[in-house]
Amino acid sequence: MSVRRTPWVVLVLFTAGLSGVVRGYPDGSPGNFCNRVPSGHGAAKHRGDNGFAIKVEGQPESYVPGEVYTVLITSTSPVQFRGFMLVSTAQEDETKPLGTFQLVDQEETKMTGGCPTAVTHKRSGLKQRVEFLWVAPSEGSGCVTFRATVVQSRLIWFMDDGALALTLCEENDVAVMPKMAEKKEVANCTACGAGKYRMTFYGLWSQQTHPKDYPKYGTHWSAIIGATHSKDYSIWEYGGYSTEGVKQVAEWGSPTKLEREMKEQGNKIRTVVKTDPQWPAYEPRNIKAPVSSDFGVDSEHHLLSFLTMLGPSPDWNVGLSNFDVCEGDQWLDRTEMDLYPWDAGTDSGITYESANSPTIPREKIRPITSQDPKNPASPWYNTRGKSFQPVARIVLERTGIMDNGCHGKTSKEDEEDIDIFSEEISLSKAEKKERKRNKDRNRGRDKERDRHGHDHDHDGSRKLTKGDLTISMGTMAVNSTAVKIWWAPPSNVHSSILGYLVYYQEGQKLLGPNVLEIPDGETTQIVLGGLEPESPYTIRVVAYTMEQSNIQSEPAMVTTLPDTSIMDVPCLYSPWSEWSDCSVQCGKGARKRNRVLKSLPSPMCTDELEQTEQCMGPRPSCDVEVLETPPEDLTAIPVEGLPAVVQLAWQPPEEAQGTIMDYFVFYIKENSTDWKTVQVPGDQLTLTLTDLVPGRSYYFRVQGRNALGVGPVSDPIIYNPKQAAEQQRKMQSPVWEQDLFGREDNDKQTDMVVVDLNAAYEFEDYEVDEVQPDHKQHENDDKKKAIDCVVSDWSEWALCSRSCGRNGGVQQRNRETKQKAKHGGKSCPPRKETRRCNVGRKCPKHCKLGKWEAWSECTVTCGEGIQMRTRPVFREPKYGGRECSSTLQKRVCLREEC
């Protein structure tokens, strides 16, 4: 028996006396090695990968047994490839397949016939990317290596080098999400003085780290909002319930309500921690620096809490709750912490962009893990509980310590920096300038006193002598409920100042019933809160010593600012969405894009949320549609006595979609790569070709064109001029028809192979029987007994190649040769039979929907209402096609309280 390989083009064997059996590989059964070397090219494998690569979507570092992954073969533009074969095998044993492939695009790819564990191309057209689903093997399978052969042209191919081999190992130790710290008793802080810290926030949530359903648009972190506070107050905690302020941060990214809640806690809060929002959620550090915020702590207020919304999301956040920066009698120096998302318990949405679904009643705040919520639609879900990567990281660094008399004198600059952290964010530019002028003026007075010989005691307290008994005082409104008061101690008194009394009264009375005692002679500034908005207050500061209590300032009048709680709301908008599809399928129409207000509604937020512009539909004319079907019934008819001439005939497409302007007839000689094209007027359905070479096979295809462009190309037919003439004389029917359906002349030992020209490059081998001459080879052959050919029963019919269509598809069945004919015995009958199937069955047409329109206005102007949006139906389902999904969505909208 002689075996030869053909160059990837599937040949039709017409040689009389030969019987060919198509096999995929030398050993094609599962578990055996698959030959992936393309044969007949006349060129050795090229080194490297030439920019071709195997990729696994999401770039996982390992695989989880039983999980489904998307595996791709890609090229680097502008390089393209024609053919490929991809296998997944054990890393140490290339003959052992691991995992199974599933086809995504059955028009372009297929399972390899002789090697069931491999996938290959179905069409030989140029391509830059193919993809498959891959089901990971069972537990204990070890490491898997994906190996690929990629064919760029007939003489250039690559295999297994560089990025054409990729190894993934099994995730043996299934990681579990880090458990969130349980609530524990906060110890008293005995650290000396006050600490200065800087918190830096690094967003890590990105397409690369969290690829599942990662939003295409609008990813961001809302403004960080939090505070340093005492242990008898908590902003949020696991197992607790969200306040209204936390809810508004979690769902809308608005910090205004929560900031108001914190400030209402008075002395329980030391510093309000704030940053700007971050759009988009992730940018490399060399492009955009991370956000940061400075804050102060002391032995009473040594806990840090904050949160920021991960957007878009139902109510997902990250943050810290009651983090203690005091370690007994020491201030924490530096720490880094990874942050994972948590659910505020106020919205029941499962995906990033779920419509609003209020949770009533509210649920407890809980961490999000790969098993909670236990819903495959969740972007965090993993069947085996495997952990996902952190979405953010914070770095806390101590930048200074104010000893406050514990270990010596601290500079006035440090003291002022600590005390005004929480207020700095609330001051206008003019107010900040005024505060700086007063601070500089006070520092100037201190320096002037120092030049006149006023000394200091070794413990840092000021030595006072007899002299002027007046206190110099300044005031400034901070916001609608607080004023800033600062003063310079009198320079000449008999003894050290023990403390101060701050008298304040609404109106113009000099001294009123309201008094704030400051039992600390070193304090020279305070923020007085709990006042009424836009109201005048009279303020006076009185110092007391062991000997005197009449050291006081002149009374000063200051008016609090108007209530700007609404105006303070930042107007945060999402990025513009992509433009919607044009409102019409043909002619002129309109398209829209929109964005949403991410902060709470405010009279200040008046920018447009929707834009409209004119557009042209996909079809310029409403009288013409794009061709969706190819010309039909392409036939090759030989001309008697003229073997170099053939007449081609065809029928228009089933759905012509208007006037056919032209047809394009393509033909190519077997084993050639040079297609020829003939253009035919649209009203002509025949073409005569006169340049064929007798004895050579040809492939023909035809394509239509209307006003909107060309449509799909018909399936190829095969034609041999010489054999066609012989068949016409014998059977009065064209040979191409015999070939297509697998019927053969039983007088010849020929297996007809139906060729799909789209799959011109196949990884196929051909086993060819020995040639048995019809005449006697030796005289003693006459004495040998004739042995007839024996074949097996027919196999079952294979699946139909198409499930629907005017011409349907084809299906085959086969039988094996059990005994070859010898010594003039009866030759073998055909071993392959082909027939049409599913002819005339209508193909399903699925529902086609347009893009969602912009959300409607809220149904209420205050409180809780409803918004709606719709999307159009471009095509209703037909012939069992997929039904239309929802065309209406509703969501809850929140307006300011009524």
Side-chain angles (χ1 to χ4, degrees):
M1 178 179 290
S2 61
V3 178
R4 66 182 179 87
R5 292 184 178 181
T6 66
W8 295 9
V9 180
V10 181
L11 297 183
V12 182
L13 304 180
F14 288 105
T15 307
L18 299 182
S19 179
V21 178
V22 177
R23 285 190 179 177
Y25 298 92
D27 298 297
S29 60
N32 291 328
F33 173 73
C34 293
N35 180 13
R36 295 182 294 113
V37 177
S39 59
H41 276 245
K45 181 187 82 169
H46 279 59
R47 293 181 179 179
D49 56 34
N50 199 34
F52 302 117
I54 300 172
K55 297 181 180 179
V56 179
E57 196 169 84
Q59 300 178 335
E61 297 178 354
S62 57
Y63 72 85
V64 176
E67 284 286 303
V68 180
Y69 298 86
T70 300
V71 181
L72 308 95
I73 298 179
T74 64
S75 66
T76 304
S77 182
V79 178
Q80 297 176 303
F81 59 98
R82 290 184 176 275
F84 69 91
M85 178 179 281
L86 177 65
V87 297
S88 60
T89 64
Q91 182 183 25
E92 304 298 333
D93 184 1
E94 193 175 345
T95 66
K96 180 182 178 181
L98 288 179
T100 55
F101 288 102
Q102 297 177 2
L103 301 182
V104 173
D105 185 352
Q106 299 192 16
E107 294 296 321
E108 294 289 341
T109 60
K110 66 178 183 178
M111 306 303 295
T112 304
C115 184
T117 60
V119 285
T120 185
H121 59 280
K122 192 174 183 180
R123 304 176 183 271
S124 63
L126 292 172
K127 51 186 73 71
Q128 287 188 311
R129 166 191 170 115
V130 290
E131 67 178 67
F132 304 90
L133 296 180
W134 180 74
V135 182
S138 59
E139 192 169 353
S141 298
C143 296
V144 175
T145 297
F146 297 94
R147 297 177 170 92
T149 302
V150 173
V151 178
Q152 187 172 342
S153 68
R154 291 183 64 83
L155 298 178
I156 301 176
W157 58 281
F158 306 85
M159 186 174 76
D160 294 358
D161 288 346
L164 290 178
L166 175 66
T167 298
L168 289 181
C169 291
E170 180 180 351
E171 181 74 36
N172 291 317
D173 298 321
V174 179
V176 180
M177 288 294 301
K179 292 184 178 180
M180 302 303 177
E182 297 181 358
K183 185 176 181 181
K184 59 183 181 180
E185 193 69 26
V186 178
N188 291 329
C189 177
T190 58
C192 185
K196 294 170 59 177
Y197 283 89
R198 170 162 295 173
M199 180 187 76
T200 305
F201 180 92
Y202 297 91
L204 306 178
W205 177 53
S206 69
Q207 175 72 51
Q208 287 69 40
T209 59
H210 301 81
K212 183 179 179 183
D213 299 332
Y214 189 79
K216 292 184 178 180
Y217 310 102
T219 62
H220 65 282
W221 296 102
S222 70
I224 290 176
I225 180 68
T228 54
H229 55 89
S230 59
K231 63 182 181 180
D232 54 353
Y233 172 63
S234 181
I235 297 175
W236 70 272
E237 60 185 359
Y238 293 111
Y241 292 93
S242 296
T243 66
E244 187 62 27
V246 171
K247 176 178 182 288
Q248 291 190 12
V249 174
E251 295 188 12
W252 302 96
S254 172
T256 306
K257 177 70 174 176
L258 180 56
E259 184 176 0
R260 193 180 306 151
E261 288 178 357
M262 293 188 303
K263 289 184 176 180
E264 288 172 355
Q265 298 300 315
N267 291 334
K268 296 178 182 179
I269 298 293
R270 177 184 174 96
T271 307
V272 174
V273 178
K274 277 186 177 182
T275 71
D276 291 331
Q278 299 177 77
W279 295 80
Y282 174 79
E283 282 189 306
R285 297 181 194 176
N286 61 343
I287 296 177
K288 187 176 182 180
V291 296
S292 62
S293 178
D294 293 332
F295 60 87
V297 291
D298 56 35
S299 59
E300 181 69 20
H301 309 87
H302 51 95
L303 302 180
L304 169 66
S305 298
F306 76 88
L307 67 153
T308 172
M309 179 193 74
L310 175 153
S313 72
D315 60 343
W316 301 339
N317 313 264
V318 300
L320 288 181
S321 175
N322 303 325
F323 180 77
D324 198 345
V325 297
C326 180
E327 299 177 324
D329 61 352
Q330 299 291 325
W331 293 115
L332 177 70
D333 182 52
R334 186 183 188 277
T335 187
E336 292 187 17
M337 286 173 283
D338 288 335
L339 302 180
Y340 293 86
W342 50 270
D343 191 306
T346 62
D347 190 291
S348 300
I350 292 296
T351 65
Y352 288 119
E353 300 180 278
S354 294
N356 278 5
S357 178
T359 303
I360 302 175
R362 293 181 186 179
E363 296 177 351
K364 292 181 179 180
I365 296 173
R366 67 185 189 279
I368 295 173
T369 70
S370 57
Q371 289 286 292
D372 184 10
K374 199 165 187 176
N375 187 324
S378 167
W380 316 103
Y381 178 76
N382 182 275
T383 53
R384 301 182 71 229
K386 180 184 176 183
S387 66
F388 48 80
Q389 296 188 49
V391 295
R393 179 176 297 128
I394 64 162
V395 177
L396 297 179
E397 295 179 286
R398 194 182 70 213
T399 58
I401 294 179
M402 187 182 75
D403 282 348
N404 201 21
C406 295
H407 304 299
K409 178 73 175 165
T410 302
S411 70
K412 186 176 291 292
E413 289 85 348
D414 282 346
E415 183 180 346
E416 289 173 346
D417 286 344
I418 292 284
D419 289 340
I420 66 171
F421 280 145
S422 61
E423 312 310 326
E424 187 75 29
I425 56 175
S426 302
L427 303 181
S428 67
K429 291 182 179 180
E431 291 167 337
K432 289 178 182 178
K433 289 181 180 179
E434 178 64 23
R435 182 192 62 78
K436 186 176 185 302
R437 281 196 295 269
N438 283 296
K439 183 168 68 174
D440 293 342
R441 190 159 50 242
N442 290 338
R443 287 175 181 169
R445 292 194 185 102
D446 293 342
K447 292 178 180 179
E448 183 68 21
R449 287 194 298 271
D450 290 341
R451 283 197 298 269
H452 285 80
H454 302 299
D455 59 345
H456 302 275
D457 290 338
H458 69 279
D459 63 355
S461 61
R462 189 178 303 279
K463 188 72 174 180
L464 302 175
T465 60
K466 187 175 180 178
D468 185 11
L469 301 181
T470 301
I471 297 175
S472 176
M473 181 187 68
T475 60
M476 180 179 65
V478 172
N479 53 38
S480 60
T481 61
V483 295
K484 180 79 171 287
I485 307 169
W486 64 94
W487 58 88
S491 57
N492 297 309
V493 292
H494 291 298
S495 58
S496 298
I497 294 177
L498 301 178
Y500 295 93
L501 299 173
V502 178
Y503 291 88
Y504 62 99
Q505 175 66 36
E506 187 174 0
Q508 298 183 3
K509 297 179 182 179
L510 294 182
L511 291 177
N514 300 314
V515 61
L516 175 65
E517 182 177 3
I518 304 173
D520 177 9
E522 292 296 315
T523 300
T524 59
Q525 62 177 346
I526 64 167
V527 174
L528 183 62
L531 308 181
E532 292 297 321
E534 205 169 2
S535 300
Y537 282 85
T538 301
I539 296 173
R540 173 177 289 179
V541 176
V542 176
Y544 59 91
T545 69
M546 290 294 292
E547 302 174 357
Q548 297 172 289
S549 61
N550 61 342
I551 310 168
Q552 57 186 295
S553 69
E554 294 293 328
M557 180 74 70
V558 62
T559 301
T560 54
L561 299 177
D563 186 356
T564 58
S565 59
I566 296 180
M567 292 184 291
D568 286 342
V569 176
C571 298
L572 299 179
Y573 298 93
S574 69
W576 286 106
S577 67
E578 287 191 338
W579 288 103
S580 66
D581 291 336
C582 200
S583 60
V584 297
Q585 290 296 296
C586 57
K588 292 183 179 180
R591 62 178 187 171
K592 298 179 180 180
R593 67 175 184 174
N594 56 71
R595 59 180 178 177
V596 296
L597 180 65
K598 302 300 291 186
S599 56
L600 289 177
S602 164
M604 303 296 292
C605 303
T606 57
D607 293 345
E608 60 182 342
L609 299 179
E610 183 177 274
Q611 290 181 343
T612 303
E613 70 174 18
Q614 192 178 68
C615 60
M616 292 295 295
R619 302 189 303 276
S621 170
C622 293
D623 299 327
V624 181
E625 293 186 3
V626 177
L627 280 174
E628 295 183 352
T629 57
E632 299 184 340
D633 300 333
L634 177 60
T635 307
I637 305 170
V639 178
E640 188 174 356
L642 299 174
V645 180
V646 66
Q647 185 179 45
L648 300 175
W650 62 88
Q651 293 298 313
E654 180 181 9
E655 299 178 7
Q657 313 291 13
T659 302
I660 300 295
M661 302 176 65
D662 301 284
Y663 290 101
F664 296 95
V665 176
F666 306 97
Y667 67 104
I668 189 173
K669 188 164 50 178
E670 186 181 41
N671 293 333
S672 172
T673 59
D674 184 20
W675 282 92
K676 295 183 179 180
T677 306
V678 179
Q679 188 171 354
V680 180
D683 57 355
Q684 182 176 320
L685 298 175
T686 60
L687 172 67
T688 300
L689 298 175
T690 60
D691 58 349
L692 306 189
V693 178
R696 299 295 297 274
S697 294
Y698 286 82
Y699 306 102
F700 300 107
R701 306 180 77 175
V702 63
Q703 179 184 44
R705 181 174 74 89
N706 66 5
L708 293 183
V710 296
V713 184
S714 68
D715 291 333
I717 65 169
I718 310 167
Y719 175 81
N720 183 289
K722 183 177 179 181
Q723 293 183 358
E726 294 175 358
Q727 293 284 2
Q728 187 181 43
R729 287 194 299 271
K730 292 182 179 181
M731 305 179 66
Q732 297 300 311
S733 63
V735 71
W736 67 266
E737 186 174 283
Q738 305 301 315
D739 293 348
L740 180 62
F741 294 101
R743 295 188 294 270
E744 306 177 66
D745 182 352
N746 289 337
D747 294 336
K748 296 187 177 183
Q749 303 301 308
T750 305
D751 270 358
M752 307 297 293
V753 182
V754 178
V755 176
D756 181 354
L757 199 61
N758 286 326
Y761 295 99
E762 296 286 350
F763 296 87
E764 303 282 5
D765 293 338
Y766 292 89
E767 179 184 304
V768 183
D769 293 344
E770 294 180 356
V771 177
Q772 299 294 333
D774 290 334
H775 59 80
K776 297 178 181 179
Q777 295 185 6
H778 306 284
E779 292 182 0
N780 59 3
D781 286 348
D782 293 334
K783 301 177 183 180
K784 295 180 179 180
K785 184 179 179 180
I787 300 176
D788 295 336
C789 173
V790 178
V791 295
S792 67
D793 293 335
W794 287 107
S795 66
E796 295 294 327
W797 287 102
L799 293 176
C800 191
S801 62
R802 293 190 65 186
S803 60
C804 58
R806 182 173 178 179
N807 292 326
V810 294
Q811 59 184 166
Q812 294 180 340
R813 65 177 182 175
N814 303 284
R815 55 185 172 185
E816 301 294 330
T817 301
K818 292 186 174 181
Q819 172 64 59
K820 297 178 182 178
K822 294 183 178 180
H823 316 311
K826 187 176 179 180
S827 60
C828 294
R831 287 174 291 178
K832 181 182 297 182
E833 204 171 58
T834 305
R835 71 180 183 185
R836 285 203 176 277
C837 48
N838 295 332
V839 176
R841 181 177 295 177
K842 294 290 187 180
C843 292
K845 291 190 176 181
H846 303 308
C847 172
K848 186 175 181 181
L849 297 171
K851 290 188 177 181
W852 288 104
E853 302 289 346
W855 288 100
S856 67
E857 293 294 327
C858 192
T859 55
V860 298
T861 57
C862 63
E864 187 174 292
I866 296 294
Q867 286 180 291
M868 295 182 292
R869 66 174 181 177
T870 61
R871 55 180 173 178
V873 177
F874 287 155
R875 183 175 66 193
E876 296 287 350
K878 293 182 180 179
Y879 317 125
R882 187 169 52 249
E883 295 294 327
C884 298
S885 57
S886 172
T887 58
L888 173 66
Q889 283 187 345
K890 297 181 180 180
R891 72 178 185 186
V892 175
C893 49
L894 296 177
R895 295 295 182 259
E896 59 183 298
E897 297 178 1
C898 297

